[in-house]
Amino acid sequence: MLARLSDRNPVLAPDQLIDDMVPPMMFDEVSFDSYIPDPNEPSQSAAVNACRDFVARASTVRSGGKKSFFRKAAPKQGIGLYLDGGFGVGKTHLLASVYHSMPGPKAFATFGEVTNVVGALGYIDALERLSGHSVLCIDEFELDDPGDTMVVSRLLTELTARGVSIVATSNTLPGQLGEGRFAAQDFLREIQKLSAIFETLRVDGPDYRHRDLPPAPEPSSNDQLEEFAENTVGATLDEFDDLAGHLAKLHPSKYKALVEGVTMVCIKNVHPAPDQAVALRFVALTDRLYDAEIPVSISGAKLDEIFTPEMIAGGYRKKYLRAVSRLLALSRFAEAND
């Protein structure tokens, strides 16, 4: 019988949640030296220099402060750097390079993973576990709702006060975070507080990941998909609705462990997500699959039809477009392995 993601129920210890805050495997070996700036985009060279300078300054933060005979030196205020720019200009490469260059302990996570860790551990526990870090690297920084705004603002403010430096990437300027998702003006003070933490740098250039690529593969038939899964060691096969129901029962912090060790994810009878909750869970799952470079093969509707036009036109547009781009890339991996 074929394995199903829907039958997996990972259990994570608090220490593992923090230990798992590392760059995706594809960025294990990156460095500032391996980042190749586009000669036509001077902002990319400027970004490399700014990140190197950030590492030099942030590395000294925790050793600052005046010592006394009775107590250790208090850490200096952490510093912040915010890399703003479009998709595929190498921001995550630079973010991972910062992580690799900083002394430990240190943490790297997407914005969604940070909020998931806080949700799973509780605010106080998460704050205490992260407050001893030299740096917190946050990829795809975004604010999706008022609750996230308040939690993230408080967390980053308290972490920087304890000497933790923050570097983040996004395609939305700090002062515009939350626009289109909720009444951002009602939370302007919190958003401005976040903006004040960061020195912002724009990184321009074309998306190098998806230029001149063929269209997404056509979905398989159910029989073809089952045969494909059966002939692929380590593959899983789930009904779309079963998987959607299972994701609803798992905290998103467990999605990474959910797909650990899986070589291929096959999903039968894919159809448009019935609501935003289902859609956003699939966005979170897609991110974990993409980080782990796990191919995806499906039957039913095309992968770019999971998110309805109404969803794409709404406040989560960037999330959905990123997920579609990643799903199509993963489906091409599957096609290459077929």
Side-chain angles (χ1 to χ4, degrees):
M1 183 177 177
L2 281 166
R4 304 193 316 156
L5 291 180
S6 304
D7 294 329
R8 303 182 71 167
N9 291 284
V11 177
L12 299 179
D15 285 344
Q16 185 178 349
L17 283 172
I18 300 298
D19 291 344
D20 283 348
M21 296 176 75
V22 296
M25 290 186 297
M26 66 184 76
F27 296 105
D28 278 350
E29 305 297 329
V30 301
S31 67
F32 295 128
D33 290 338
S34 65
Y35 181 88
I36 309 299
D38 186 330
N40 298 316
E41 293 292 346
S43 65
Q44 295 186 8
S45 294
V48 175
N49 293 333
C51 288
R52 289 184 185 273
D53 179 66
F54 173 90
V55 168
R57 291 185 294 130
S59 297
T60 66
V61 165
R62 300 195 70 83
S63 62
K66 190 173 182 180
K67 298 181 181 180
S68 74
F69 183 78
F70 298 103
R71 63 180 181 178
K72 295 180 180 179
K76 294 188 293 186
Q77 178 84 12
I79 63 174
L81 178 64
Y82 191 100
L83 301 178
D84 172 66
F87 297 115
V89 296
K91 300 190 303 296
T92 304
H93 182 132
L94 292 175
L95 187 69
S97 299
V98 169
Y99 173 89
H100 292 312
S101 300
M102 288 291 292
K106 50 193 174 181
F108 181 111
T110 65
F111 176 83
E113 287 175 314
V114 172
T115 57
N116 290 339
V117 166
V118 174
L121 296 179
Y123 179 84
I124 297 300
D125 193 10
L127 174 64
E128 291 301 321
R129 289 176 183 274
L130 291 172
S131 62
H133 286 51
S134 65
V135 69
L136 172 58
C137 301
I138 306 177
D139 203 14
E140 300 160 9
F141 198 105
E142 191 53 274
L143 300 181
D144 295 327
D145 57 48
D148 284 349
T149 305
M150 305 297 284
V151 169
V152 171
S153 174
R154 181 185 172 195
L155 179 69
L156 298 191
T157 299
E158 294 199 34
L159 285 176
T160 54
R162 298 188 185 198
V164 182
S165 293
I166 312 291
V167 58
T169 72
S170 180
N171 50 26
T172 304
L173 289 170
Q176 298 172 325
L177 290 167
E179 286 186 354
R181 292 157 187 76
F182 54 87
Q185 65 273 16
D186 294 341
F187 301 90
L188 186 58
R189 191 171 80 174
E190 296 300 327
I191 292 172
Q192 288 175 336
K193 189 185 300 181
L194 283 176
S195 181
I197 292 172
F198 298 108
E199 172 191 345
T200 302
L201 187 68
R202 177 75 187 181
V203 188
D204 293 310
D207 186 339
Y208 70 89
R209 289 176 299 194
H210 300 291
R211 288 175 292 180
D212 303 320
L213 289 175
E218 288 293 319
S220 303
S221 69
N222 283 343
D223 289 342
Q224 289 172 328
L225 188 66
E226 289 179 13
E227 182 179 1
F228 187 27
E230 288 172 352
N231 292 328
T232 304
V233 176
T236 59
L237 178 65
D238 290 80
E239 286 279 348
F240 181 85
D241 288 336
D242 291 344
L243 182 56
H246 187 57
L247 294 178
K249 300 173 184 176
L250 290 179
H251 192 278
S253 62
K254 296 183 177 181
Y255 289 6
K256 182 177 182 179
L258 179 70
V259 300
E260 187 173 355
V262 175
T263 62
M264 173 87 65
V265 168
C266 300
I267 308 175
K268 292 173 60 176
N269 298 317
V270 169
H271 60 79
D275 55 51
Q276 297 269 29
V278 172
L280 290 171
R281 291 185 195 109
F282 269 98
V283 168
L285 178 65
T286 297
D287 289 341
R288 303 292 76 76
L289 293 171
Y290 187 79
D291 287 347
E293 299 180 294
I294 299 173
V296 174
S297 189
I298 55 104
S299 68
K302 294 183 178 180
L303 285 168
D304 57 4
E305 296 174 357
I306 291 179
F307 311 113
T308 66
E310 293 77 16
M311 292 175 181
I312 297 291
Y316 297 104
R317 173 181 174 81
K318 290 178 182 177
K319 276 185 179 291
Y320 293 139
L321 290 178
R322 185 186 73 238
V324 168
S325 175
R326 290 182 165 186
L327 283 169
L328 295 184
L330 294 175
S331 72
R332 295 184 188 107
F333 293 163
E335 188 178 52
N337 293 330
D338 193 352

